[in-house]
Amino acid sequence: MAGHFEATPGGGAAVALDEVEIAILRSLAVQLLELIGPGDEPAEGEDPLAALFAEGPSEPPSDPALARLFPEAYGDDDRELRAASAEFRRFTENDLRTRKRDDALAVVRTLDGLSPAGDGGAVLTLTAQECRNWLGSLNDLRLTIGTRLEVSDEDGAEDGSLYRLPDSDPRKPMVMAYLWLGALQETLVETLMS
């Protein structure tokens, strides 16, 4: 089980994590929460139903990582498509942000709920719903890190360039995290599909 997810009864999954892995995953999830930003909770006395109909932004985020997490729906090739994308974003981005925030919070909460063993590691056991949260958050983390590293479809694991970075390269720790998160995500998907 070390390093990869295995199925548990009821559609869940489990993985053994050491103390450092737990700390890295928690730190990355917290950073993702900070990037996504706080939720818009209704003010005291405000109608909670009004929040359901609140409109979101119509412009894409300027931060490339956020733009990757909240992409344009229809591209920006012409004025008509830009207008359709803006309209779509206005009515969907707030809900998408909430879901991404909920996924990252689920990661933090499940990690915080672990009971460490004598070596500081623990076995993380997820319910079926927590598995879905983790899949979403692992994907968001990889998209964010990949954007920061400027990983494109043309490079990466296929040509092995990410694996051959010298230890002196300042990107090496983030590349290692990116690859590790990909392996975790892959084993979680495989576990849930089996």
Side-chain angles (χ1 to χ4, degrees), residues 33-91:
L33 284 165
E34 291 170 355
L35 178 67
I36 293 169
D40 296 327
E41 296 296 322
E44 190 173 324
E46 184 182 357
D47 180 8
L49 288 178
L52 291 175
F53 299 104
E55 293 182 7
S58 59
E59 295 296 319
S62 59
D63 181 318
L66 282 174
R68 185 70 176 103
L69 292 176
F70 305 104
E72 290 284 63
Y74 304 110
D76 58 359
D77 296 342
D78 65 32
R79 192 173 64 124
E80 202 171 290
L81 288 177
R82 281 191 302 273
S85 283
E87 188 78 358
F88 184 81
R89 179 179 300 282
R90 200 164 53 113
F91 292 109

Side-chain angles (χ1 to χ4, degrees), residues 81-100:
L81 288 177
R82 281 191 302 273
S85 283
E87 188 78 358
F88 184 81
R89 179 179 300 282
R90 200 164 53 113
F91 292 109
T92 61
E93 187 170 313
N94 286 346
D95 288 340
L96 186 56
R97 279 183 185 268
T98 298
R99 193 193 82 225
K100 290 179 180 300

Side-chain angles (χ1 to χ4, degrees), residues 9 20 23 37-38 40-42 74 98-99 110 112-114 131 142 147 150 160 172 175 186:
V20 173
D40 296 327
E41 296 296 322
Y74 304 110
T98 298
R99 193 193 82 225
T110 54
D112 286 350
L114 289 175
C131 286
R142 290 193 75 240
T147 302
E150 298 178 348
K172 182 87 177 213
V175 167
E186 183 178 347

